[in-house]
Amino acid sequence: MSAENIVWKDSFAKRASRMNASEIRELLKLLDQPDVISFAGGIPDPALFPTGVVEQAYARILADPARSGPSLQYSVSEGYAPLRAWIVRHMAALGVPCDIGNIVITAGSQQGLDFIGKLFLSPGDTALVTAPTYLGALQAFNPYEPRYDTLALGGNRTPDSYREAAAAAGGRVGLAYLVPDFSNPSGETVPLAERLALLDLAAALDTLVVEDAAYQALRYDGEPVRAIQALDVERSGGIEQCRTLYCGTFSKTLVPALRVGWICGPSAAIAKIVLAKQAADLHSPTINQMVMHEVAAAVYDAQVEKIRKVYHQRRDAMLAALARHMPEGVTWTRPEGGMFVWVSLPEGMSGAALLARAIAECRVAFVPGGAFYGEGRCDNRLRLSYSLSDPGQIEAGIGRLGALIRQVRAGA
Amino acid sequence: MSAENIVWKDSFAKRASRMNASEIRELLKLLDQPDVISFAGGIPDPALFPTGVVEQAYARILADPARSGPSLQYSVSEGYAPLRAWIVRHMAALGVPCDIGNIVITAGSQQGLDFIGKLFLSPGDTALVTAPTYLGALQAFNPYEPRYDTLALGGNRTPDSYREAAAAAGGRVGLAYLVPDFSNPSGETVPLAERLALLDLAAALDTLVVEDAAYQALRYDGEPVRAIQALDVERSGGIEQCRTLYCGTFSKTLVPALRVGWICGPSAAIAKIVLAKQAADLHSPTINQMVMHEVAAAVYDAQVEKIRKVYHQRRDAMLAALARHMPEGVTWTRPEGGMFVWVSLPEGMSGAALLARAIAECRVAFVPGGAFYGEGRCDNRLRLSYSLSDPGQIEAGIGRLGALIRQVRAGA
């Protein structure tokens, strides 16, 4: 079987070009070059990881004769019960009273998105996504061959306009997906009124809302906006009646590489997702779930407070540097939390072309915006992450980038 | 959204009944009841885990300033390079010379099966599976809506008969899946001549062979049979030309709950699987891959030798107990390795009905055979696992089960 003779299933062949991981891999490699200032990553700063606590948790569990065997053995697909119980309390504090049967552990929130695509999107169904949206959600949904339509939050599209477009494409609206807090990539937060309007829209379309809460805990200023699932529970009367699936993760708050996230939702939906989890990988690593439970129980609040302080300072440094160095015609979002600022270049300037010059000429990296769209695209956008750089690097990198944009604008 | 209003995608609704995890969960719960002798599990004995070595590896990595950060950080989807390099040497020893680009790390071999279904099975395509076959493979493939046809190893079906049946069902033969060594559930090993005939069949159908090697290292006696991928590489001229995807795992040899397995195959196929991995969960837990690398490098051979001795003794105990206690009309396989014996009850006796009585009346558990079929089914089969029981429990449990079967046969 040579490469050209491999018979891929239709959907994968069709979608493979959209699942372009190489771009991201190339960007990740840049992080290893010490002279490049990278605003590309969008990943937490490992210097802030609670490494000692993680180390002690592994040591304690593996040295305990009652726990070491189970920690290394096969376990149930829904996840480690004490961790699910911790998450139940966490969700209650967010305004979502629920039960252990409403929680399934996933390999980060990314795996939750894969399962939701697998269960709710048939080929030709429509997924409503914001423009821009999280690239990884598009990658997770693409193998299930949805059509994308733009979720116009605060816009004036009617439910019928979504329904008719979906029907014309041969399917139904399978779900509406968004990152409502400090979105990846835009950094923006969906205000309360738009959250409520989204729930109205979802009710009118009788569709799911997928709330990707990856950055929700990372607010630096401004007033918290209630979780969409909490608003849904309040309106519908309870978790069992709500239409929101909440995708949570410890990746941004504690550590990413244990790969522990969760979905919270009506127990009937969770039970089906548990079957998908069993079919996909049996269960998440038992020991990592036990460790995450110990770490969350010991330091979750303190850790969130600690990283908020650091990222807050970096966010401020980036906004100040942008104001100082960007020429007229360049605009950007002002995130109240999270890891990202979304920059709009002057019309006609390409983010992808700028990246090539930025790396070659001034050793600055970022992610060009074109990849973050389900349909259409704005090529003159950049995603800048401030999570991995200290204020001095941010000032230097944005300074160099601003100078390059001036050059490009001047036709140099 | 109440449970009955959830709109599942067609395929999941159709297949959910086949993905019945509750049966297995109920069986797993039995393991916690100390008076039940369980031959149900099919999981390794945790008393044999190299727990101390695992503990030391976590401690060493997390205490090392150069490694602790990366061990907890996001990493590349293809997996930890030193672990992939270890697997390259392991595959070479099995007769498969290959390169790091031929290996992707998966969450156990189960996740490998999910990705292979996702990439190679469109709805209506045919998956050839042995009868019986591994239940988890059916669960992994089901969401992609294949049709199943029975792979008749050593039988006299022509390639045309498979091809025509697949075309009549509206698809093509997407893959042929098997566990060639000490199969789950049958315990049987596919002899060399049948492996070569399978490669002929796959070439005639221009289809993939999926070699699930979960138990391959656990041979207790008899002559090793070469891996199908090794035979394929020899015939086709190299890994890049072969049509076999080899699914390996550390779950049966080292520990299951770090969830580390791999797929070995042509680099063009592996590159696509890496994209599926990225979309599904970004990457396997970095620290678990680093720990598995240290553990495999330190104790793989010694660990395999140690567990082989113990399971060998248990296999002997089970075969002896079956010979001693089973009435006429009951037959069983004689595995040369692995964890399973496959028992045929007299025609008309139901394995599922026997399980209910076995638990209630004699506190013995096993898995009834009906679940292990892609199409058709033989209800008079049982899967017995000897991996978790010592010879005394095996003798006692098989004694009770034999007595119960005699009673059932006598109509009592």
Side-chain angles (χ1 to χ4, degrees):
Chain A
M1 183 172 77
S2 64
E4 55 271 36
N5 290 337
I6 296 177
V7 181
W8 307 100
K9 63 181 274 192
D10 301 346
S11 62
F12 198 82
K14 231 182 291 174
R15 294 300 183 170
S17 60
R18 307 193 70 138
M19 295 171 67
N20 188 351
S22 59
E23 182 187 359
I24 288 168
R25 274 211 301 281
E26 290 308 310
L27 288 166
L28 276 173
K29 277 182 207 156
L30 288 173
L31 301 179
D32 295 334
Q33 298 183 16
D35 67 326
V36 170
I37 297 179
S38 176
F39 304 128
I43 59 180
D45 186 342
L48 301 171
F49 291 159
T51 307
V53 184
V54 171
E55 184 183 349
Q56 286 156 31
Y58 275 111
R60 218 168 14 234
I61 291 163
L62 287 166
D64 177 350
R67 293 196 291 168
S68 66
S71 79
L72 301 177
Q73 183 60 290
Y74 285 116
S75 59
V76 294
S77 302
E78 50 267 53
Y80 179 58
L83 177 63
R84 291 161 72 216
W86 188 95
I87 293 166
V88 163
R89 293 189 294 276
H90 178 79
M91 294 306 302
L94 293 175
V96 179
C98 63
D99 190 81
I100 197 169
N102 300 111
I103 308 291
V104 56
I105 302 298
T106 55
S109 52
Q110 185 70 30
Q111 191 181 44
L113 300 178
D114 176 47
F115 293 157
I116 289 168
K118 192 180 264 186
L119 266 65
F120 295 100
L121 294 174
S122 287
D125 279 349
T126 290
L128 304 183
V129 296
T130 56
T133 189
Y134 169 51
L135 172 61
L138 300 176
Q139 291 175 324
F141 298 154
N142 283 343
Y144 307 107
E145 299 181 77
R147 160 190 173 261
Y148 293 104
D149 196 354
T150 298
L151 180 61
L153 293 165
N156 50 12
R157 278 189 62 180
T158 62
D160 276 347
S161 79
Y162 291 109
R163 191 187 292 115
E164 284 158 17
R172 56 183 302 282
V173 177
L175 55 84
Y177 167 84
L178 76 171
V179 187
D181 299 275
F182 331 120
S183 181
N184 180 357
S186 80
E188 292 181 317
T189 296
V190 178
L192 180 65
E194 290 180 14
R195 295 182 190 216
L196 293 169
L198 172 64
L199 287 171
D200 289 339
L201 174 68
L205 295 173
D206 195 16
T207 198
L208 273 186
V209 175
V210 181
E211 178 175 25
D212 182 339
Y215 306 94
Q216 203 167 65
L218 301 182
R219 177 173 281 281
Y220 315 133
D221 48 24
E223 277 305 303
V225 189
R226 293 188 68 194
I228 294 172
Q229 192 172 54
L231 297 168
D232 191 355
V233 162
E234 191 176 83
R235 280 187 165 195
S236 66
I239 184 76
E240 297 302 346
Q241 289 77 45
C242 87
R243 61 175 65 256
T244 307
L245 294 178
Y246 178 104
C247 298
T249 180
F250 293 106
S251 293
K252 307 302 188 280
T253 48
L254 300 179
V255 289
L258 304 195
R259 309 303 303 122
V260 182
W262 69 90
I263 303 175
C264 177
S267 56
I270 297 300
K272 288 278 201 303
I273 295 170
V274 169
L275 297 183
K277 175 74 177 165
Q278 185 187 36
D281 64 6
L282 299 181
H283 60 87
S284 284
T286 321
I287 188 162
N288 292 10
Q289 296 184 67
M290 294 170 78
V291 165
M292 197 57 99
H293 173 243
E294 288 217 356
V295 173
V299 302
Y300 184 84
D301 290 341
Q303 179 68 16
V304 168
E305 197 178 342
K306 169 179 152 183
I307 64 178
R308 265 189 193 149
K309 268 190 202 141
V310 176
Y311 294 145
H312 185 167
Q313 199 183 24
R314 293 175 184 179
R315 194 264 334 241
D316 289 351
M318 180 157 279
L319 291 178
L322 286 164
R324 199 150 37 231
H325 299 293
M326 285 296 148
E328 217 184 326
V330 176
T331 60
W332 54 90
T333 58
R334 276 146 190 90
E336 295 184 332
M339 301 183 169
F340 306 106
V341 175
W342 184 242
V343 174
S344 298
L345 300 172
E347 271 310 316
M349 195 181 286
S350 154
L354 186 71
L355 175 64
R357 288 193 61 179
I359 291 172
E361 297 174 27
C362 62
R363 310 302 282 161
V364 171
F366 53 81
V367 182
F372 297 95
Y373 292 87
E375 47 141 33
R377 49 171 57 207
C378 294
D379 277 330
N380 67 329
R381 302 292 202 277
L382 320 178
R383 191 191 75 177
L384 302 180
S385 169
Y386 45 78
S387 59
L388 273 178
S389 310
D390 66 38
Q393 290 171 311
I394 290 170
E395 168 64 17
I398 296 297
R400 291 189 221 161
L401 192 59
L404 179 64
I405 292 171
R406 281 172 209 277
Q407 274 183 44
V408 172
R409 222 180 35 159
Chain B
M1 183 171 81
S2 62
E4 54 272 35
N5 289 338
I6 298 175
V7 181
W8 307 101
K9 61 180 274 190
D10 301 345
S11 62
F12 197 82
K14 232 183 291 172
R15 294 300 184 172
S17 62
R18 306 194 72 139
M19 294 171 65
N20 188 353
S22 59
E23 182 187 359
I24 287 167
R25 274 211 302 283
E26 291 308 308
L27 289 166
L28 276 173
K29 277 182 204 154
L30 287 174
L31 301 180
D32 296 333
Q33 299 183 17
D35 66 325
V36 170
I37 296 178
S38 177
F39 304 129
I43 58 181
D45 187 341
L48 301 172
F49 291 159
T51 308
V53 184
V54 172
E55 186 183 350
Q56 285 157 32
Y58 275 111
R60 216 166 18 234
I61 291 164
L62 286 165
D64 178 351
R67 292 195 292 167
S68 67
S71 80
L72 301 177
Q73 183 61 292
Y74 285 115
S75 59
V76 293
S77 303
E78 50 267 54
Y80 180 58
L83 178 63
R84 292 160 72 216
W86 187 94
I87 293 167
V88 163
R89 292 189 295 275
H90 178 79
M91 293 307 302
L94 292 175
V96 180
C98 63
D99 192 78
I100 198 170
N102 300 111
I103 307 290
V104 55
I105 301 297
T106 56
S109 52
Q110 184 71 30
Q111 191 181 44
L113 301 178
D114 177 46
F115 294 157
I116 289 169
K118 192 180 265 184
L119 268 64
F120 295 100
L121 293 174
S122 287
D125 279 349
T126 291
L128 304 184
V129 296
T130 55
T133 189
Y134 169 51
L135 172 60
L138 300 176
Q139 291 176 325
F141 299 154
N142 283 341
Y144 308 107
E145 302 183 72
R147 159 190 175 261
Y148 293 105
D149 196 353
T150 298
L151 180 61
L153 294 164
N156 49 11
R157 278 189 63 180
T158 62
D160 277 346
S161 78
Y162 290 108
R163 190 187 292 115
E164 285 159 17
R172 57 184 299 286
V173 178
L175 56 83
Y177 166 83
L178 76 169
V179 186
D181 300 275
F182 331 120
S183 182
N184 180 357
S186 79
E188 292 180 318
T189 297
V190 178
L192 180 65
E194 291 180 12
R195 295 182 189 217
L196 293 170
L198 171 63
L199 288 171
D200 289 338
L201 173 67
L205 295 173
D206 195 15
T207 198
L208 274 186
V209 175
V210 181
E211 177 174 26
D212 182 339
Y215 306 95
Q216 202 167 64
L218 301 182
R219 175 173 284 278
Y220 316 133
D221 48 24
E223 276 306 304
V225 188
R226 292 189 70 195
I228 294 172
Q229 193 172 53
L231 298 168
D232 191 357
V233 162
E234 191 176 84
R235 280 187 165 195
S236 66
I239 185 75
E240 297 302 345
Q241 289 77 44
C242 88
R243 59 175 66 256
T244 305
L245 294 177
Y246 178 104
C247 297
T249 179
F250 293 107
S251 294
K252 307 301 189 281
T253 47
L254 300 179
V255 290
L258 303 195
R259 311 303 301 125
V260 182
W262 70 90
I263 303 176
C264 177
S267 56
I270 296 300
K272 288 277 201 304
I273 295 170
V274 169
L275 296 182
K277 174 76 178 166
Q278 185 188 37
D281 66 4
L282 300 182
H283 60 85
S284 284
T286 321
I287 187 161
N288 293 8
Q289 296 182 67
M290 293 170 79
V291 165
M292 197 57 99
H293 173 242
E294 288 218 356
V295 174
V299 301
Y300 184 85
D301 289 342
Q303 179 67 17
V304 168
E305 195 178 345
K306 169 180 150 179
I307 64 178
R308 264 189 194 148
K309 266 188 203 143
V310 175
Y311 294 145
H312 185 166
Q313 198 182 26
R314 293 175 184 178
R315 193 244 4 218
D316 289 351
M318 180 158 278
L319 291 178
L322 285 165
R324 199 149 37 230
H325 298 294
M326 285 296 149
E328 215 182 329
V330 177
T331 60
W332 55 90
T333 57
R334 275 148 191 89
E336 294 183 334
M339 300 184 169
F340 306 107
V341 175
W342 185 241
V343 174
S344 300
L345 300 171
E347 271 310 316
M349 196 181 285
S350 154
L354 186 70
L355 175 63
R357 288 192 63 178
I359 291 171
E361 298 174 27
C362 63
R363 310 303 281 161
V364 171
F366 53 81
V367 182
F372 296 94
Y373 292 87
E375 48 140 35
R377 49 170 58 207
C378 294
D379 277 330
N380 68 330
R381 302 291 203 277
L382 321 178
R383 190 191 76 177
L384 301 179
S385 168
Y386 45 80
S387 59
L388 273 177
S389 310
D390 65 39
Q393 291 170 312
I394 290 170
E395 168 64 16
I398 296 298
R400 290 189 223 161
L401 192 60
L404 178 64
I405 292 170
R406 281 173 209 276
Q407 273 183 43
V408 172
R409 221 180 38 160

